[in-house]
Amino acid sequence: MTVLNPRTGQCFIKVIHSSVWAGQKRLGQLAKWKTAEETVALVRSLPVEEQPNQLIVSRKGMLDPLEVTMLDFPNITIRGSEMQLPLQALLKIEKIGDMILKATEPKMSLWSCYDNWLATVSPYTAFSRLVLILRALHINTERAKIVLRPDKTVVTEPHHLWPTLSDEQWIKVENQLKDLILGDYGKKNNVNVASLTASEIRDVILGMEIQAPSQQRQQIAEIEKQASEQSQLTALTTKTQNVRGDEIVVTTTSSYESQAFASKTEWRLRALAAQNLPLRARHLYVSSDDVSDVAFTYVLPKNLLRRFIAIADPRTQIAGYMYGVSPEGSDQVKEIRAI
C-alpha cells in the first residue's frame, strides 16, 4: 500500500506480509478492505495538524471501502481520480524493493520521494518530475535508469532515492523521459507524437485515458452514421426482461439516449470550465518559504492578479509580461503596474 503526500514528497509504504493472507478467500475484496483499514490507521496516527484535507484514490474500487472506514473523519474529502499514477513503479527501486522482499512481518516505512528537490523547485515541479520518472520506469525500466544516470560521475546519495543532478541536468533528463513516454504511446496507438496537443501530452504523462485521433475519427464516423440512419426513421426493437421474468419488447424510432461524442479538447466544455476560474481568485495565498533578502520583492495588485486568473484557460498554460517600477530608494522592490 502506497500513500503519497504531493506537497512534501512523503511516501508511506505499508508492507502487508503474506502471512496475513494465509487461508483467506476472495483476496481481491479482502485486499481493498485491508488497504482501507491501514489508511485509516495511518490517518489516525498522524497529529491533527498533519492530517490531510482530502484523500485522492487512484483505484476507483477503493472508493466504497474508504468511505465506509473513514466515517470517523467527516472533514476529510474522499474522491477518485482519472489519473493512473504508476506508484507501483516505486517497487522497481532497489532500496524499496529490497526492504519489501526482506520483510518478515507487516511493516510501515516512510520515504522521501523528492530527495532535496524542494530546496530549488516548487512542490508542483517536484510532483511533475516524480510522475515523469515513475511513468518512464513503468514503461521501460532499463532505459529509464540509463536516462536517470547519464554517466559514471552521477551518484546517488545513501539517504536519497534518485541520482543527485543539477537543475540544468534535471531539465535534460525530464525532456528525455517525456520523449520516452510519448514514443511508447505513439508506438502503441500508431500516432504521430508531433500531432498531439499540449493538453493531450499532459494527459498521456499523467496516465489519463485519452483516445487516439484515429479512434476519435472512427467514433465520430460511427455516430454520424447512426444519426443518418435515425434520420430515415429506422425502427429499433429491443427485448428486455423485468424482475418478474416478463419479456418487454420496445420499438423506438427516435435517437433518444443514443451515444454522443465528447472530446476533452472541445471549446464549449473548456469555456464552461473557464467560468469557474474567477472563483479560484477569491482565496489567494503567498508562500513565504525560502524568501531571500537579496532577491527582488514584487508587489502585485490583487485586481491585476484576479484579472489574469479570470482570462486564463484551465487546460492551457498562460503567461504574461509584467511591467512595473521601483519606488525611490528601494531598487529591490518592484511594483507591478501592468501585465
Side-chain angles (χ1 to χ4, degrees):
M1 183 191 84
T2 310
V3 179
L4 175 69
N5 182 342
R7 185 179 294 278
T8 62
Q10 284 184 331
C11 182
F12 296 91
I13 296 180
K14 172 75 177 185
V15 180
I16 301 175
H17 195 255
S18 55
S19 58
V20 176
W21 314 109
Q24 301 285 350
K25 294 180 180 177
R26 299 181 67 190
L27 292 181
Q29 197 72 9
L30 178 64
K32 290 177 185 176
W33 286 95
K34 183 68 178 169
T35 306
E37 287 173 13
E38 294 293 345
T39 306
V40 175
L42 174 62
V43 172
R44 195 170 276 125
S45 68
L46 294 172
V48 177
E49 61 272 9
E50 289 184 21
Q51 288 179 357
N53 293 324
Q54 63 175 340
L55 290 174
I56 300 174
V57 185
S58 59
R59 300 286 180 272
K60 288 186 178 175
M62 283 297 306
L63 277 172
D64 290 341
L66 259 181
E67 284 173 357
V68 172
T69 53
M70 291 289 287
L71 287 174
D72 292 344
F73 300 94
N75 293 331
I76 297 179
T77 311
I78 302 168
R79 60 192 185 93
S81 171
E82 291 181 11
M83 295 193 301
Q84 295 292 329
L85 291 179
L87 292 175
Q88 66 270 28
L90 283 168
L91 309 185
K92 296 179 181 178
I93 304 166
E94 285 81 358
K95 290 179 183 176
I96 297 177
D98 291 347
M99 182 273 295
I100 292 170
L101 289 173
K102 291 175 183 175
T104 56
E105 58 183 1
K107 181 181 179 183
M108 172 70 83
S109 59
L110 174 61
W111 302 80
S112 175
C113 287
Y114 292 170
D115 290 348
N116 59 347
W117 299 346
L118 294 180
T120 53
V121 297
S122 66
Y124 174 82
T125 308
F127 180 70
S128 305
R129 183 183 295 172
L130 180 67
V131 170
L132 272 174
I133 295 172
L134 294 181
R135 176 78 52 204
L137 283 170
H138 185 61
I139 290 169
N140 191 331
T141 308
E142 295 304 319
R143 197 167 155 212
K145 286 182 178 178
I146 292 169
V147 170
L148 282 169
R149 196 179 174 197
D151 53 63
K152 292 181 180 178
T153 59
V154 177
V155 295
T156 303
E157 299 286 340
H159 55 288
H160 285 177
L161 288 178
W162 313 112
T164 305
L165 300 169
S166 65
D167 287 350
E168 291 75 17
Q169 287 174 313
W170 269 121
I171 291 170
K172 291 178 183 175
V173 167
E174 285 167 8
N175 286 329
Q176 288 177 310
L177 292 175
K178 185 177 81 170
D179 293 341
L180 170 63
I181 295 165
L182 294 179
D184 177 78
Y185 174 81
K187 193 183 293 182
K188 283 181 180 175
N189 293 284
N190 195 21
V191 174
N192 181 9
V193 177
S195 65
L196 294 174
T197 63
S199 61
E200 285 173 338
I201 289 173
R202 187 186 66 178
D203 289 349
V204 169
I205 291 171
L206 290 175
M208 296 171 74
E209 291 184 11
I210 68 165
Q211 289 182 322
S214 56
Q215 291 176 321
Q216 285 189 354
R217 283 194 294 271
Q218 184 181 349
Q219 192 178 351
I220 292 170
E222 286 176 2
I223 292 167
E224 285 177 348
K225 185 180 176 184
Q226 285 178 4
S228 63
E229 289 173 355
Q230 289 290 342
S231 64
Q232 297 168 7
L233 290 178
T234 306
L236 177 68
T237 304
T238 54
K239 291 184 179 181
T240 55
Q241 285 189 334
N242 61 12
V243 289
R244 298 180 187 82
D246 302 332
E247 193 175 82
I248 300 172
V249 181
V250 180
T251 304
T252 54
T253 54
S254 65
S255 58
Y256 179 64
E257 281 191 349
S258 288
Q259 189 180 17
F261 177 74
S263 168
K264 284 188 179 178
T265 53
E266 194 176 359
W267 68 268
R268 289 184 183 86
L269 297 177
R270 291 173 66 176
L272 289 170
Q275 286 180 353
N276 295 325
L277 285 174
L279 301 176
R280 297 189 189 183
R282 286 185 178 177
H283 305 289
L284 298 171
Y285 304 96
V286 178
S287 174
S288 58
D289 299 336
D290 301 326
V291 174
S292 173
D293 296 333
V294 184
F296 288 118
T297 301
Y298 294 96
V299 180
L300 186 59
K302 211 169 184 179
N303 62 335
L304 265 184
L305 191 55
R306 280 180 177 162
R307 181 66 180 158
F308 186 67
I309 293 172
I311 61 99
D313 185 279
R315 294 187 70 82
T316 307
Q317 286 189 341
I318 306 294
Y321 288 106
M322 296 194 297
Y323 295 91
V325 295
S326 295
E328 291 183 12
S330 303
D331 293 338
Q332 295 297 100
V333 178
K334 303 289 182 186
E335 294 181 352
I336 307 302
R337 298 288 176 86
I339 299 180

